[in-house]
Amino acid sequence: MHYYRYSNAEVSCWYKYLLFSYNIVFWLAGVAFLAAGLWAWSEKGVLSDLTKVTGLHGLDPVVLVLLVGIVMFTLGFAGCVGALRENICLLKFFCGAIVFIFLLELAVAVMAFLFQDWVRDRVKEFFENNIKSYRDDIDLQNIIDSLQRINHCCGAQGPEDWDFNMYFNCNSETKSREKCGVPFSCCIPDPAQKVVNTQCGYDIRKKSKNQWEDQIFVKGCIHALEAWLPRNIYIVAGVFIAISLLQIFGIFLARSLISDIEAVKASNAF
């Protein structure tokens, strides 16, 4: 029996460069996230004093940006180099990581659906911890203000949750001017007022609760988000499906390229 070696056996350029194009977008996005995160940390002086990260009891949004950037940069780099160099190890790493992330997202979605009360308690605890650190980090402050302003809500369960923050606490001995108040993002906006009144929430909780509704939002942000989800379920589902399809497409390309490389190596081995 005679074996013939096909010297012209090559890996499909279609799979190779399509996977490279797929990953270069994520790699560049990862670079952008990392650059934005490091710039934000440099502005806050974290790069010169890393203890500022551990000193914050709430979530530093920059940490989330950096984590996303690191994951996207690593996977994008592995996919790009693996495709161009036809490196099976890098391609398998890329494929395995995407599968893991996909299964993790699916597990989180199922757990959130099956254990809604537990998720609600964790969200409440998470929100309260961030309320405590509201004045400690400008990025966290901006996120909470945006969340309250967009969803017309105040606090996790209601305005009373701002007692968790030492500056807004009604019972604390602090001489803060914000004592027994709420952030301006809790205030009902006045259409005729073009300049934001950042002092509109001062002393509001010293008044009777019947007067609150005329000046601030009294609904908690957890209830607001629970009400928002059913109204936008198709948008949420569409985003989830789009992300899933992108991940499945990346897995398909990587697996196809791996199979193609292995077939070419086997063919050239004879």
Side-chain angles (χ1 to χ4, degrees):
M1 181 179 292
H2 298 280
Y3 295 97
Y4 296 95
R5 177 174 179 177
Y6 298 93
S7 59
N8 60 341
E10 294 181 355
V11 174
S12 171
C13 291
W14 173 257
Y15 289 137
K16 182 175 180 177
Y17 292 107
L18 190 58
L19 182 62
F20 172 79
S21 301
Y22 175 92
N23 279 282
I24 195 67
V25 175
F26 290 99
W27 183 76
L28 292 175
V31 172
F33 274 104
L34 286 173
L38 292 174
W39 173 80
W41 263 3
S42 67
E43 289 293 305
K44 294 192 290 187
V46 174
L47 294 181
S48 58
D49 184 8
L50 292 177
T51 59
K52 291 183 179 180
V53 179
T54 57
L56 182 66
H57 298 294
L59 170 70
D60 185 350
V62 179
V63 174
L64 185 60
V65 172
L66 287 172
L67 286 176
V68 172
I70 290 171
V71 171
M72 295 183 71
F73 178 88
T74 303
L75 292 181
F77 179 80
C80 287
V81 176
L84 287 179
R85 302 292 298 174
E86 300 175 12
N87 188 304
I88 292 180
C89 290
L90 285 176
L91 290 174
K92 286 185 176 180
F93 167 76
F94 167 79
C95 190
I98 295 294
V99 170
F100 173 76
I101 293 172
F102 176 77
L103 293 177
L104 185 63
E105 291 170 350
L106 193 60
V108 169
V110 172
M111 294 290 286
F113 178 76
L114 294 178
F115 302 98
Q116 295 182 23
D117 292 337
W118 182 86
V119 172
R120 188 181 296 108
D121 291 340
R122 300 289 77 76
V123 172
K124 177 177 178 291
E125 182 181 346
F126 176 76
F127 203 101
E128 289 173 353
N129 287 334
N130 285 291
I131 285 177
K132 294 178 185 178
S133 305
Y134 175 77
R135 287 299 187 202
D136 299 338
D137 184 85
I138 187 63
D139 294 321
L140 177 63
Q141 180 177 311
N142 289 334
I143 286 180
I144 292 177
D145 283 334
S146 297
L147 180 65
Q148 293 187 144
R149 188 169 57 250
I150 293 172
N151 293 283
H152 295 174
C153 59
C154 188
Q157 301 283 3
E160 295 95 336
D161 288 336
W162 282 99
D163 275 335
F164 289 111
N165 187 282
M166 60 180 293
Y167 298 104
F168 295 93
N169 191 301
C170 285
N171 301 317
S172 67
E173 297 180 357
T174 180
K175 298 185 182 298
S176 170
R177 182 62 187 88
E178 296 174 313
K179 182 177 179 179
C180 220
V182 292
F184 75 94
S185 54
C186 286
C187 297
I188 298 174
D190 184 357
Q193 196 173 48
K194 295 183 179 180
V195 179
V196 177
N197 180 10
T198 57
Q199 300 180 0
C200 60
Y202 284 9
D203 303 322
I204 184 64
R205 288 189 294 125
K206 290 181 180 179
K207 302 177 182 179
S208 65
K209 291 187 177 181
N210 294 332
Q211 296 177 286
W212 290 6
E213 295 185 0
D214 296 329
Q215 294 181 258
I216 63 173
F217 304 118
V218 295
K219 180 170 60 176
C221 289
I222 293 178
H223 299 302
L225 291 174
E226 287 176 344
W228 176 88
L229 186 58
R231 295 196 309 266
N232 299 273
I233 189 65
Y234 292 112
I235 296 176
V236 174
V239 171
F240 180 78
I241 291 172
I243 293 174
S244 300
L245 289 176
L246 281 174
Q247 291 172 329
I248 292 171
F249 181 62
I251 295 169
F252 168 76
L253 287 177
R255 289 304 307 166
S256 299
L257 184 56
I258 290 171
S259 299
D260 209 18
I261 294 172
E262 289 176 341
V264 169
K265 286 185 176 181
S267 175
N268 291 334
F270 293 106

